[in-house]
Amino acid sequence: MHAAQNPQGGRQPTVSELREAYLAMLERITVSGARDSMTETEELRDAAPEFARWLRDRRLVDPSGERLTPPERAMRSVLLEHGRLLRETAEELSRDTQVLEDLLSVLTAPRPGPREAVEFEYFTDRSLTRQRLEELDSAGLDEFLAMRNGFPDQQVLEASLTADLDMLAGGVRMRMLTSQQAVRSQTSARYLQALIDAGVEVRVAPTVPLHMNILDRATVVIGAGPGPQGEGGDIILHSTPVAQGFIKVFTHAWDLAQPHAERQTGRGRSGCELSAQEREVLVLLATGAKDETIARRLACSDRTLRRLLNQIMEKLGASSRFEAGVTAARLGLVS
């Protein structure tokens, strides 16, 4: 038996001796370029424990311990295993990083003390709510976030516009998010356009979840809605942690909304120039009627209908039939 396989005197073989023993084994079991499987199995069964362990650690023997593995395949096996370990380590580090970030956000988040109470005010008369907001505004307001799912009548809205413009003139930053339904009337459209002209960012979403104001990220004014007896009201919450929660709601809805399209200058500013026939065409288009149906309804030719459509788009300042429909809906010409 070979010395590298059965070292004399219990001496541990060196790495160089083990490597030489492996190469010698390869030479012995290879005859005329072919492997002698019987000799290979016997050699491996009789190998010294240190030599057998050295082969296993380097993937130079198969799992059964009876066949040698080519160095190329052994190297590929080691590389694949290390690649897997690296991926698992990277995934674990990514998870740990997220956990640490979550823990840090919890640790640094503003939290009320164990005895802190949220101060709130409740008004059933909206005029009193507006009066209280004017008092809060006069205390030195920097930021005003508004979410609207509807607008009041023209008289109230005009008074609100005056107060809003005064706020803006005082340097208040304002953003307003409103629903598509809320901007359909000409009164609300004029109000929003005046705010845009004064520098307010206005966005429109299909729906908005709440009717509220957030003042300086510390005070929330939210509509309480109708009560069991049909009564309604407004709640004013004075709490920075509570306001932070509502800001997340506002920000999420704001990011999904689209900027409010400003009115076109010139003819598109008003629908009063549209004839009764042109208005009827708009209504039919809004219902999804096809050109031939509209022409039959108006008792006109296809050529006349195309001329009417071109006139409508020109008057509304639109470049397409779709844009004309959107503009008409915004101006309240179709419902």
Side-chain angles (χ1 to χ4, degrees):
M1 202 62 62
H2 299 277
Q5 294 173 275
N6 287 291
Q8 301 292 330
R11 180 180 64 83
Q12 293 292 330
T14 65
V15 173
S16 178
E17 289 173 338
L18 292 169
R19 185 167 55 246
E20 292 298 327
Y22 168 69
L23 294 173
M25 179 182 289
L26 281 178
E27 184 176 353
R28 286 193 301 274
I29 66 175
T30 304
V31 180
S32 300
R35 297 275 285 272
D36 183 345
S37 59
M38 184 175 297
T39 301
E40 183 176 9
T41 301
E42 290 177 355
E43 290 248 5
L44 288 172
R45 285 177 178 174
D46 294 338
E50 296 83 358
F51 183 49
R53 183 167 54 252
W54 186 85
L55 292 174
R56 287 195 304 271
D57 290 346
R58 284 150 185 80
R59 313 296 195 277
L60 290 171
V61 65
D62 67 5
S64 69
E66 297 182 351
R67 295 295 301 275
L68 290 176
T69 301
E72 298 83 358
R73 186 182 300 173
M75 180 175 291
R76 176 177 173 80
S77 175
V78 173
L79 289 174
L80 289 174
E81 182 175 350
H82 277 274
R84 177 182 59 80
L85 291 174
L86 285 172
R87 287 192 298 273
E88 291 177 354
T89 301
E91 292 173 358
E92 185 175 356
L93 287 173
S94 178
R95 289 193 297 269
D96 289 346
T97 299
Q98 184 61 55
V99 169
L100 289 173
E101 289 177 353
D102 291 343
L103 290 173
L104 183 61
S105 67
V106 171
L107 288 173
T108 58
R111 288 176 290 175
R115 297 184 180 181
E116 181 179 341
V118 176
E119 178 187 350
F120 74 94
E121 303 172 72
Y122 178 63
F123 298 93
T124 55
D125 186 339
R126 185 141 287 172
S127 64
L128 294 179
T129 303
R130 287 192 292 271
Q131 180 180 339
R132 179 64 174 130
L133 287 178
E134 291 175 2
E135 295 173 358
L136 294 172
D137 295 345
S138 63
L141 191 62
D142 292 321
E143 182 186 56
F144 189 91
L145 305 178
M147 185 179 284
R148 298 286 182 268
N149 49 31
F151 289 102
D153 57 39
Q154 181 174 350
Q155 182 178 359
V156 174
L157 202 55
E158 289 177 353
S160 177
L161 177 60
T162 300
D164 293 340
L165 294 178
D166 287 343
M167 272 199 308
L168 294 168
V172 177
R173 302 184 306 276
M174 182 184 294
R175 286 190 289 165
M176 179 171 290
L177 175 64
T178 183
S179 66
Q180 291 176 352
Q181 180 66 32
V183 302
R184 287 184 175 175
S185 73
Q186 293 190 19
T187 300
S188 60
R190 286 194 297 268
Y191 167 74
L192 292 173
Q193 189 60 50
L195 291 182
I196 292 173
D197 292 341
V200 176
E201 274 192 89
V202 178
R203 290 192 181 184
V204 181
T207 60
V208 295
L210 296 169
H211 188 102
M212 70 173 178
N213 300 324
I214 304 175
L215 288 66
D216 283 345
R217 299 177 175 258
T219 302
V220 180
V221 184
I222 184 169
Q229 305 299 323
E231 73 278 10
D234 296 296
I235 298 175
I236 301 180
L237 302 168
H238 301 274
S239 169
T240 298
V242 171
Q244 293 302 316
F246 283 102
I247 288 172
K248 290 183 178 180
V249 175
F250 179 91
T251 302
H252 176 73
W254 178 268
D255 290 342
L256 296 176
Q258 296 295 323
H260 179 56
E262 298 187 22
R263 289 187 177 183
Q264 302 288 333
T265 57
R267 299 186 192 183
R269 294 187 61 86
S270 172
C272 63
E273 296 178 347
L274 294 178
S275 67
Q277 188 181 45
E278 290 167 340
R279 288 172 181 267
E280 185 176 3
V281 171
L282 279 174
V283 172
L284 291 170
L285 284 174
T287 63
K290 298 183 180 299
D291 286 2
E292 53 267 33
T293 303
I294 299 174
R296 188 166 55 252
R297 176 73 175 270
L298 299 178
C300 68
S301 65
D302 292 343
R303 183 176 180 180
T304 300
L305 177 59
R306 286 195 297 271
R307 179 174 54 80
L308 283 171
L309 289 171
N310 289 334
Q311 288 177 358
I312 292 170
M313 288 190 290
E314 184 179 358
K315 288 182 178 181
L316 294 176
S319 58
S320 66
R321 292 169 58 169
F322 175 78
E323 186 180 351
V326 172
T327 305
R330 177 165 54 82
L331 295 176
L333 302 176
V334 294
S335 57

